[in-house]
Amino acid sequence: MKFLQCLTIIFMILSIVAGSFLIPVAVAVFLHEWNMLPAFFIPMAVLWVITILLFIRTKRQPIRLTVREGILLVSAAWLGAGLLGAVPFMLSGFVPHFSDAFFESVSGFTTTGASVLQNIESYPMALRVWRTQMHWLGGMGIVALTVALFPLLGVGGFQLIKAETTGPEKGKVTPKITTTAKILWISYTALTVVQTVLLLFAGMDFIDALSHAFATLGTGGFSTKNSSVGTYGSVSIDVICTVFMFLSGINFSLYYYAVTGKFSEIRDNSELKAYFAVFIAASLGIAFVITKQYGSFLQALRYGSFQVASILTTTGFGTADFTTWAPTAQLLIFILYFLGGCAGSTGGGIKVVRWVVLAKQLHNETEKMLHPHGIFNIRLNGKVAGKDLVSNIAAFISLYFVLVFITTVIGCLFDLDLLSALTGALSMVGNVGPGFGKLGPACNYGFLPDAVKWWYSFAMLAGRLELYTMILYFLPAFWKK
């Protein structure tokens, strides 16, 4: 019975993902892409039938989840979402190879934005919308959406959210985890609507505006156009996307505090201050360096700030090929691969707060050398942080770079040059999208061997679920009672 209960939860999560097929279905109907309807309707119908049968079988049984079961469920749900997302690509016949379809799907849900598809504008719009929609679903979290819609998950809800949420400290905005999930998704949806409207006024049609809002708020980077946002050559569109990429990299809990008038929570947030400082410093630094290339500082700032927001928040949109910029500008971009957005945002990467904590600890260690008998605490957001926070962060970053190293080695073993392999690894584990060299913003991941695509898919999932949720599978102790 416990197995059936867990299976029911997984299929409930996947049924919600399948229900979202109705958006690309609506696009297909509107644009008369009738051949696309079976690719979405068949998996949706099959999943709903299985879910209903499982729910009827287990509905009278209370659901109680242990920590181990919560981790297993979340990782299984994300793996299942990757498989489900690949089905429309394959059934449509446009992506016949399973390795490519799965890679594209995982890249979508993990909001990485690395693509194996060539000439995306030749694909039906329904498929193009589905690619960006995966970003939106994965950005805030498919499990968080399920918890928000189905309070019946009850006791296990917080275990599931903890396993999916990013950042070193995982808590609730409100006492009830279902209320917290709803608040986050409402904020997320509201920002999506606002950006869509602004992009409409800036000159995009509705489908493109919605698709780019999906990709921006999810910090994914898939576009309906071959040349991404750069296709439009519009200052207003660039500015709108830059602003919303930046906003998507902020902890979404802060939007709730802003609406409820808890401005002290925003004012005292250590991570937000550092995140803002990094964005401003990197944007200005790159703009100064590439001014000569673009003819004016304002033009350089437009392209520089866009690319900084794109890489810092791990969105991966492009309006320019930054690998053609001056070496100093490329170096600043490369550094951003090691940062990521804020904890609790839709951005990937290590997260700014972890570097803030380590910087504070470094300061404390220096002070201890001068004052051996002093007592020094780390203050985060105006409060004393937990004693285990530094060791937890150090362990996470160590594991992060171990996975980056292994992924780099695998890339090199399959004939990628060192720069491409390293930045590809940073991009996969950090869910960034573009790398340098053969994997740069003007390139594609389609030429990679299937073995590399499968490992990269694992790296993307591990990075999105903050490493431990996926890696615990490989520890014998995890399976012992």
Side-chain angles (χ1 to χ4, degrees), residues 274-433:
Y275 173 69
F276 185 76
V278 168
F279 173 74
I280 294 298
S283 297
L284 292 176
I286 289 175
F288 278 119
V289 173
I290 64 174
T291 293
K292 185 176 180 180
Q293 182 174 344
Y294 285 97
S296 74
F297 178 75
L298 286 180
Q299 275 287 86
L301 184 61
R302 167 191 168 185
Y303 289 101
S305 61
F306 183 99
Q307 212 57 61
V308 167
S310 180
I311 300 300
L312 176 62
T313 64
T314 72
T315 304
F317 273 148
T319 53
D321 184 356
F322 55 77
T323 61
T324 64
W325 289 353
T328 303
Q330 292 187 50
L331 175 62
L332 291 174
I333 290 290
F334 179 71
I335 292 172
L336 298 178
Y337 278 79
F338 295 87
L339 300 180
C342 298
S345 71
T346 59
I350 292 175
K351 303 294 183 300
V352 174
V353 67
R354 290 191 171 99
W355 293 115
V356 170
V357 171
L358 290 185
K360 289 177 177 288
Q361 180 63 16
L362 178 62
H363 176 264
N364 284 354
E365 293 298 329
T366 304
E367 289 293 315
K368 285 180 183 178
M369 294 179 66
L370 300 174
H371 309 284
H373 301 293
I375 298 176
F376 303 95
N377 294 313
I378 291 178
R379 298 188 68 84
L380 198 62
N381 305 334
K383 304 170 185 175
V384 176
K387 294 181 179 179
D388 296 332
L389 186 60
V390 174
S391 58
N392 290 342
I393 287 175
F396 174 87
I397 291 179
S398 298
L399 183 60
Y400 188 95
F401 284 119
V402 166
L403 184 57
V404 168
F405 173 75
I406 294 173
T407 305
T408 301
V409 170
I410 289 174
C412 290
L413 289 175
F414 285 88
D415 295 329
L416 281 177
D417 61 272
L418 181 58
L419 178 63
S420 299
L422 173 59
T423 56
L426 288 168
S427 181
M428 293 299 100
V429 181
N431 304 135
V432 180

Side-chain angles (χ1 to χ4, degrees), residues 24-29 33-44 126:
V25 163
V27 171
V29 170
E33 297 174 346
W34 306 115
N35 61 319
M36 290 302 303
L37 296 183
F40 292 102
F41 272 129
I42 291 174
M44 182 169 62

Side-chain angles (χ1 to χ4, degrees), residues 46 51 55 74 129 133 141 150 176 186 208 226 239 250 281 287 297 305 326 356 363 421 441 444 447 456:
V46 170
T51 303
F55 182 73
V74 169
V129 170
Q133 188 181 322
F150 290 95
K176 291 185 177 181
I186 289 171
D208 281 342
N226 291 332
V239 171
I250 294 174
F297 178 75
S305 61
V356 170
H363 176 264
N444 186 276
F447 72 93
Y456 275 8

Side-chain angles (χ1 to χ4, degrees), residues 134-145:
M134 286 189 290
H135 286 330
W136 194 75
L137 292 169
M140 187 56 66
I142 55 176
V143 174
L145 177 59

Side-chain angles (χ1 to χ4, degrees), residues 439-450:
L439 303 177
C443 303
N444 186 276
Y445 286 74
F447 72 93
L448 295 173
D450 285 352

